[in-house]
Amino acid sequence: MANELDELTGPVNVTGRDVNVIERQLPIQVGFGSVIFEVFLWACGILPGLIFLFMKIGAKTFFRQLQQKIQADASQIDNYLDQRVQVLQNVAALVSKAVELDKDVMKAVAALRGGHGPLGDAQRNAYASMIDTSFGRLFPQVEAYPELRAHHAITEAMRQNQALQREITAARDLYNDSIRLWNFSVYAWPTKMIVAARLGYTTRIPFSASTEIKAKARSVFF
């Protein structure tokens, strides 16, 4: 039998293919078969029914604990984003003292000064995109003036920004790992899937990069 996927002779998309995260939370649902399964366990005796009952209690505890971990992972991302905003404000203040900054740059920085409240997944991505955009507008201003590039405080701020970007990437990986575990678990039939359906849980959406960031990733850097 030939390979179903043959990398040598199979169809190839020579133009490549981009991928995107689907912004949709799927509700977890179980059918009548799950009800029959539970009734069957109790019909087999009290012991099987009690065992499955305790398994469902354990599954409920698992989901509640995992939700707390997801919250903690998301909070860590928010912390790093806030630090990047502080770095951005410091750089903007230093640069504005030396040169007249573009009005759009100052507007972008001012929009971030108020901070933010609790962020959802979509809001977090939008907030991160605003920070990236602000840095993208500020850095060309710095690059245009050699004396600014030599400024120690600005150089240190640039280094901090790069370090924070790496920390954000690592934090997003941890967040996505927790989301993957959640999405895998809510479909683990019978125990976890039945519990997830009864509690009205849905799948969760992992981190997704903005269109602007994806476009920058395709740019020529050197």
Side-chain angles (χ1 to χ4, degrees):
M1 179 180 177
N3 293 331
E4 291 86 355
L5 299 176
D6 189 343
E7 67 276 12
L8 299 178
T9 60
V12 177
N13 183 356
V14 294
T15 61
R17 173 176 293 152
D18 201 356
V19 294
N20 297 287
V21 175
I22 304 302
E23 291 280 339
R24 183 184 303 164
Q25 292 178 308
L26 304 177
I28 307 305
Q29 300 174 336
V30 291
F32 188 65
S34 295
V35 177
I36 295 176
F37 172 77
E38 291 190 76
V39 171
F40 174 77
L41 288 178
W42 285 106
C44 290
I46 295 178
L47 184 60
L50 285 176
I51 291 175
F52 191 67
L53 176 62
F54 283 110
M55 289 175 65
K56 289 194 294 183
I57 293 173
K60 185 183 295 186
T61 301
F62 168 81
F63 281 124
R64 287 175 174 172
Q65 292 175 342
L66 184 54
Q67 283 189 95
Q68 293 301 318
K69 184 179 185 305
I70 291 173
Q71 284 285 78
D73 293 342
S75 177
Q76 188 63 55
I77 297 173
D78 291 348
N79 288 339
Y80 288 132
L81 289 175
D82 286 343
Q83 290 180 49
R84 281 197 74 200
V85 171
Q86 187 60 52
V87 171
L88 172 64
Q89 293 173 3
N90 293 341
V91 174
L94 290 170
V95 175
S96 64
K97 292 179 181 178
V99 299
E100 184 176 352
L101 277 178
D102 187 279
K103 290 183 179 179
D104 288 338
V105 175
M106 295 308 298
K107 287 180 181 178
V109 174
L112 295 167
R113 281 180 176 161
H116 60 77
L119 295 173
D121 294 335
Q123 290 83 3
R124 184 173 296 106
N125 283 345
Y127 190 68
S129 179
M130 288 174 61
I131 298 172
D132 290 332
T133 300
S134 298
F135 270 107
R137 290 173 175 172
L138 180 61
F139 281 0
Q141 304 277 344
V142 176
E143 292 295 326
Y145 296 90
E147 64 275 14
L148 291 180
R149 293 201 304 268
H151 196 293
H152 174 73
I154 294 179
T155 302
E156 177 61 19
M158 300 293 190
R159 187 196 64 77
Q160 291 177 3
N161 176 60
Q162 292 177 344
L164 286 170
Q165 283 181 303
R166 289 192 292 269
E167 294 291 352
I168 290 173
T169 299
R172 282 170 174 163
D173 285 340
L174 289 175
Y175 175 79
N176 278 350
D177 285 343
S178 297
I179 295 299
R180 179 187 59 81
L181 178 58
W182 175 277
N183 289 341
F184 176 83
S185 299
V186 292
Y187 285 113
W189 193 88
T191 312
K192 290 177 180 175
M193 188 171 181
I194 290 175
V195 169
R198 299 273 167 80
L199 294 176
Y201 289 156
T202 68
T203 57
R204 292 174 180 263
I205 303 170
F207 164 76
S208 58
S210 65
T211 302
E212 182 178 2
I213 295 301
K214 287 184 177 182
K216 287 182 179 179
R218 301 185 184 93
S219 301
V220 178
F221 292 97
F222 304 103

